């Protein structure tokens, strides 16, 4: 356990030093603040449900940005250190490879969690400061939005590690990471939509649709946040989907957790077999 | 045999390349062993095998009682490794970097500053490693290898990039550790440099161990001639066979010198004649075969045996 924390601490130290933490936090805070204030102007709802609108816009932002940031910091974690030669020295120390991987994971996730918490928290804080009335239900939805955003980040960090543990060159890892982002964030949904349009509800069952939505962590995240509470789903235009896709919040969270644990386990396995 | 490092019939293949072929040796405590061989001879591969960074295709390895290939890593706490072309994360300072490695070895944080002092990096301790020169990175590499009083030190071409003064202090540090009972394995192809430092030499060629022993033992096995150089008076130069006797393989060099390649059994005889009353010899030098020559000899005899 101590080794894991030592590695995590170094990862955070490096993140602070090379401005990853700063850049990510500023990016998320900047976008969150602009979405909060630009987004609430046209709807004119600076009333009771103001935070719900923010949740809808921020979770859409998260789906694009968090997987991208997560893959950016994770795809290089193993193959990059191998190429630079720093992994050789690290693994000659009394530390297990799985400890190195887990330490890096905790470090990277902490950086991402810190940026998300601070960036999105700033948006909610600013909204509350303008005097908008926000009820307890909205606060809970907002907190679970932040929590699930971090979980989404964890899933993509784990996927990035798996790529990083499998490929031989950094460039390959970068290319695959971009590909994964495109597939999960853009192409998957388009393909799904196209399939539903073609099918016209004739053969595809709701159960099949559910399975497809769970197979993409970004979709699991979207459903969790946009249909999670009645207040939010009213604004998200997802009320319809929420009724057809009969997934409660727990299967969705479980899907995100599985998307974290399975790739992480596979990455540890691949890493432990690697020679350097 | 209870050496700190035990290598038994180890084979390592990378696809078609046989980097190490059936190599066995044992390294005892308190000894400096030089691992020499051309580029690609398998020196780095052997060290990586000892660290468990790669797994042997065949054979067994024990380092301080652990099997590194089985993923056991406790013994690594008492092991120092300096990779060939060591590299560090450039974002952290020298002190932070060394402190990180010290934590992994459970060494107290206060051990970091004296170690930096010892390798002459105190003035640069709070600078980012990214700003270090090659020599400074090598020194930081040595400092991390020395963390925690290692019982086994694996140094892969450690003095490349160090200037002569630093080499000197580097070997002093290594010698001090050896004196306290550490096993030091030193790979190099700078043979003249290693010659005075290593008690024992392991010569590798294309993955095969071709020689293993102290310099004296290797000289005995190789039976290379000793070079005897005599400074001879003008008169003596005209009739060398008269006073030197029937010696094959002598030649004149630089006018006043006579050089003889004496086989081990003729060596004493030649020296006797050269120092005999009345021999026209003003001065003499005896040069035993250098490590360079031994190395060339063993490589050649292995190549022809194939
Ligand atoms: N990871 C690897 N994959 C394929 N071949 C390798 C690998 N590592 C080393 N080799 C090969 O093994 C041989 C020995 O290499 P090495 O141990 O690095 O030699 P040395 O350190 O003595 O210069 C070389 O032919 C090298 O090309
Ligand atoms: Mg080498």
């Amino acid at each position: 356990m101590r080794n894991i924390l030592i590695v995590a601490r170094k990862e955070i130290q490096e993140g602070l030093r090379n401005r990853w933490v700063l850049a990510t936090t500023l990016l998320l805070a900047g976008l969150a603040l602009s979405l909060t204030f630009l987004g609430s102007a046209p709807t004119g709802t600076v009333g009771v449900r103001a935070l719900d609108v923010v949740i809808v816009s921020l979770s859409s932002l998260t789906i694009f940005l968090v997987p991208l940031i997560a893959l950016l910091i994770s795809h290089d974690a193993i193959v990059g250190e191998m190429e630079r030669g720093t992994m050789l020295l690290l693994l000659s120390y009394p530390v297990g490879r799985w400890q190195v991987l887990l330490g890096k994971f905790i470090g990277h996730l902490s950086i991402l969690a810190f940026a998300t918490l601070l960036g999105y928290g700033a948006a909610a804080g600013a909204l509350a400061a303008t005097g908008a009335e926000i009820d307890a239900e909205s606060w809970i939805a907002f907190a679970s939005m932040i929590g699930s955003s971090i979980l989404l980040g964890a899933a993509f960090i784990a996927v990035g590690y798996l790529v990083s543990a499998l490929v031989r060159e950094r460039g390959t890892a970068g290319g695959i990471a971009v590909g994964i982002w495109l597939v999960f964030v853009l192409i998957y949904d388009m393909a799904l939509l196209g399939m539903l349009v073609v099918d016209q509800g004739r053969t595809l069952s709701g159960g099949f649709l559910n399975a497809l939505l769970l197979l993409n962590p970004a979709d699991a995240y979207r459903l969790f946040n946009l249909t999670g509470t009645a207040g939010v789903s009213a604004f998200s235009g997802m009320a319809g989907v929420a009724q057809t896709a009969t997934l409660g919040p727990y299967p969705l969270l479980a899907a995100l957790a599985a998307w974290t644990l399975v790739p992480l386990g596979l990455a540890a396995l691949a890493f432990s077999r690697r020679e350097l | 045999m209870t050496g700190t490092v035990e290598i038994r019939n180890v084979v390592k293949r990378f696809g078609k390349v046989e980097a190490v072929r059936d190599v066995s040796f044992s390294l005892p405590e308190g000894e400096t062993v030089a691992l020499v061989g051309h580029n690609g001879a398998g020196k780095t591969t052997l060290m990586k095998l000892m660290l468990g960074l790669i797994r042997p295709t065949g054979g067994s390895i024990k380092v301080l009682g652990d099997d590194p290939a089985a993923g056991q890593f406790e013994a690594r706490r008492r092991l120092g490794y300096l990779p060939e072309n060591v590299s560090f994360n450039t974002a952290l300072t020298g002190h932070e970097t060394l402190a990180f490695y010290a934590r992994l070895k459970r060494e107290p944080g206060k051990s970091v500053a004296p170690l930096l002092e010892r390798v002459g990096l105190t003035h640069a301790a709070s600078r980012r490693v990214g700003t270090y020169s090659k020599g400074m990175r090598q020194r930081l590499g040595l400092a991390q290898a020395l963390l925690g009083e290692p019982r086994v030190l694996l140094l892969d071409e450690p003095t490349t990039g160090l200037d002569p003064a630093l080499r000197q202090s580097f070997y002093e540090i290594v010698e001090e550790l050896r004196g306290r009972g550490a096993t030091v394995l030193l790979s190099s192809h700078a043979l003249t440099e290693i010659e005075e430092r290593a008690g024992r030499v392991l010569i590798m060629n294309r993955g095969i161990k071709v020689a293993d022993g102290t310099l004296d033992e290797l000289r005995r096995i190789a039976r290379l001639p000793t070079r005897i150089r005599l400074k001879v008076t003008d008169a003596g130069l005209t009739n060398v066979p008269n006073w030197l006797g029937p010696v094959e393989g002598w030649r004149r060099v630089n006018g006043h010198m006579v050089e003889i390649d004496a086989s081990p059994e003729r060596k004493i005889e030649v020296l006797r004649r050269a120092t005999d009353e009345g021999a026209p010899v003003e001065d003499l030098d005896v040069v035993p075969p250098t490590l360079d020559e031994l190395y060339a000899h063993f490589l050649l005899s292995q190549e022809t045996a194939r």
Side-chain angles (χ1 to χ4, degrees):
Chain A
M1 191 60 205
R2 206 160 137 201
N3 281 341
I4 298 174
L5 293 180
I6 292 170
V7 175
R9 174 179 160 182
K10 173 175 169 273
E11 219 52 59
I12 294 170
Q13 206 176 15
E14 280 176 19
L16 287 170
R17 192 59 55 78
N18 55 32
R19 311 267 192 276
W20 254 115
V21 179
L22 187 71
T24 320
T25 310
L26 286 183
L27 181 70
L28 287 180
L31 287 173
L33 282 170
S34 28
L35 277 180
T36 303
F37 290 105
L38 297 179
S40 61
T43 48
T45 44
V46 190
V48 192
R49 303 255 69 95
L51 194 60
D52 290 345
V53 178
V54 172
I55 292 173
V56 174
S57 49
L58 282 192
S59 49
S60 306
L61 174 71
T62 302
I63 286 177
F64 282 92
L65 215 50
V66 166
L68 191 64
I69 295 170
L71 286 168
L72 269 180
I73 46 181
S74 64
H75 79 273
D76 199 38
I78 295 167
V79 72
E81 280 218 42
M82 282 188 172
E83 240 173 60
R84 285 188 293 271
T86 46
M87 191 62 92
L88 193 67
L89 189 57
L90 180 56
L91 294 185
S92 78
Y93 273 75
V95 55
R97 294 191 183 189
W98 64 273
Q99 293 174 327
V100 170
L101 192 80
L102 221 55
K104 280 179 171 290
F105 180 74
I106 291 174
H108 284 155
L109 189 60
S110 307
I111 291 174
L112 195 70
F114 176 83
T116 313
L117 217 57
L118 218 66
Y120 290 3
L127 194 66
T130 60
E133 274 179 61
I134 299 164
D135 60 15
E137 195 201 359
S138 294
W139 277 120
I140 291 169
F142 188 74
S144 50
M145 191 270 292
I146 290 184
S148 59
S149 300
I150 295 170
L151 196 54
L152 181 69
F156 277 93
I157 289 175
V159 170
Y161 284 170
L162 179 57
V163 173
S164 200
L166 287 173
V167 302
R168 296 238 144 260
E169 281 167 36
R170 293 173 73 184
T172 321
I176 295 177
V178 170
I180 286 177
W181 183 80
L182 282 175
V183 167
F184 281 144
V185 172
L186 297 176
I187 299 171
Y188 193 92
D189 284 352
M190 286 198 274
L192 200 62
L193 207 62
M195 213 163 70
L196 290 178
V197 168
V198 171
D199 187 63
Q200 294 286 350
R202 281 191 295 262
T203 48
L204 299 180
S205 68
F208 184 67
L209 182 63
N210 284 344
L212 285 178
L213 289 173
L214 288 177
L215 276 178
N216 180 350
D219 278 331
Y221 171 86
R222 195 195 315 268
L223 277 182
F224 176 79
N225 282 295
L226 298 189
T227 63
T229 53
V232 175
S233 61
F235 284 102
S236 66
M238 290 283 277
V241 180
Q243 278 152 18
T244 25
T246 49
L247 287 165
Y250 295 110
L252 294 168
L253 285 180
L256 282 175
W259 266 105
T260 306
L261 297 178
V262 173
L264 200 59
L266 292 176
L269 189 70
F271 186 33
S272 74
R273 298 176 161 275
R274 242 182 116 142
E275 303 209 314
L276 64 168
Chain B
M1 293 294 267
T2 50
T4 46
V5 176
E6 297 280 346
I7 305 277
R8 291 257 166 280
N9 306 106
V10 167
V11 176
K12 178 64 193 175
R13 258 183 237 113
F14 295 106
K16 282 206 178 73
V17 182
E18 248 189 329
V20 172
R21 313 184 200 186
D22 197 21
V23 169
S24 303
F25 57 81
S26 157
L27 305 179
E29 291 186 344
E31 195 170 75
T32 301
V33 180
L35 184 60
V36 303
H38 285 320
N39 276 329
K43 307 181 294 292
T44 302
T45 304
L46 270 174
M47 289 196 181
K48 285 183 179 178
L49 284 165
M50 291 176 205
L51 289 160
L53 297 172
I54 52 180
R55 285 177 297 275
T57 313
S60 72
I61 301 165
K62 277 258 181 298
V63 177
L64 293 169
D66 266 7
D67 177 3
Q72 295 173 318
F73 53 79
E74 266 317 298
R76 292 202 209 135
R77 198 175 293 181
R78 308 306 312 280
L79 197 143
Y81 173 49
L82 174 57
E84 172 179 30
N85 310 320
V86 65
S87 53
F88 299 99
N89 188 289
T90 52
L92 302 183
T93 68
H95 190 279
E96 285 167 344
T97 303
L98 204 55
F100 165 68
Y101 290 115
R103 280 194 287 275
L104 282 178
K105 277 195 172 165
R106 305 288 186 269
E107 283 296 301
K110 64 182 193 307
S111 65
V112 169
L115 213 47
L116 284 168
E117 173 80 51
R118 204 162 160 198
V119 296
L121 280 177
T122 305
H123 66 287
S126 52
R127 265 168 51 192
R128 283 173 175 229
V129 176
T131 67
Y132 281 22
S133 71
K134 170 97 171 67
M136 291 165 83
R137 280 201 301 274
Q138 192 70 5
R139 278 185 274 169
L140 187 60
L142 178 63
Q144 65 76 31
L146 296 177
L147 276 167
E149 181 85 33
R151 308 257 295 109
V152 174
L153 258 183
L154 304 177
L155 308 170
D156 202 352
E157 317 233 351
T159 57
T160 43
L162 293 188
D163 52 51
L166 275 171
R167 280 177 197 218
Q168 189 61 35
S169 66
F170 166 83
Y171 283 116
E172 274 161 21
I173 293 172
V174 167
E175 179 55 25
E176 188 190 318
L177 271 166
R178 188 204 60 78
R180 279 186 272 158
T183 303
V184 183
L185 184 67
L186 193 68
S187 94
S188 181
H189 46 234
L191 300 182
T192 38
E193 195 179 299
I194 278 193
E195 190 146 6
E196 313 101 69
R197 328 275 180 182
R200 182 173 147 205
V201 182
L202 266 164
I203 302 179
M204 296 284 299
N205 185 35
R206 302 189 192 183
I208 298 173
K209 186 181 89 171
V210 293
D212 177 2
T214 63
L215 269 180
D216 280 338
E217 283 165 357
L218 295 188
R219 285 192 183 112
R220 261 204 311 280
I221 300 167
R223 305 185 39 78
L224 289 180
T226 299
R227 187 157 298 162
I228 300 172
R229 220 176 253 156
L230 309 172
K231 187 158 184 260
V232 181
T233 61
D234 284 338
L237 275 174
T238 55
N239 57 347
V240 174
N242 279 4
W243 53 268
L244 193 58
V247 179
E248 302 116 52
W250 69 271
R251 57 195 174 273
R252 276 176 68 171
V253 286
N254 300 338
H256 278 278
M257 304 285 261
V258 168
E259 208 175 71
I260 303 141
D261 288 332
S263 61
E265 57 270 25
R266 299 286 319 273
K267 189 166 64 183
I268 293 292
E269 192 193 328
V270 171
L271 283 173
R272 278 216 184 93
R273 286 171 187 275
T275 54
D276 203 12
E277 199 91 38
V281 176
E282 294 178 325
D283 197 5
L284 121 183
D285 276 317
V286 178
V287 189
T290 61
L291 183 51
D292 258 324
E293 289 164 317
L294 284 171
Y295 177 61
H297 168 84
F298 281 109
L299 288 202
L300 193 70
S301 53
Q302 192 239 336
E303 293 285 325
T304 47
R306 274 153 47 89

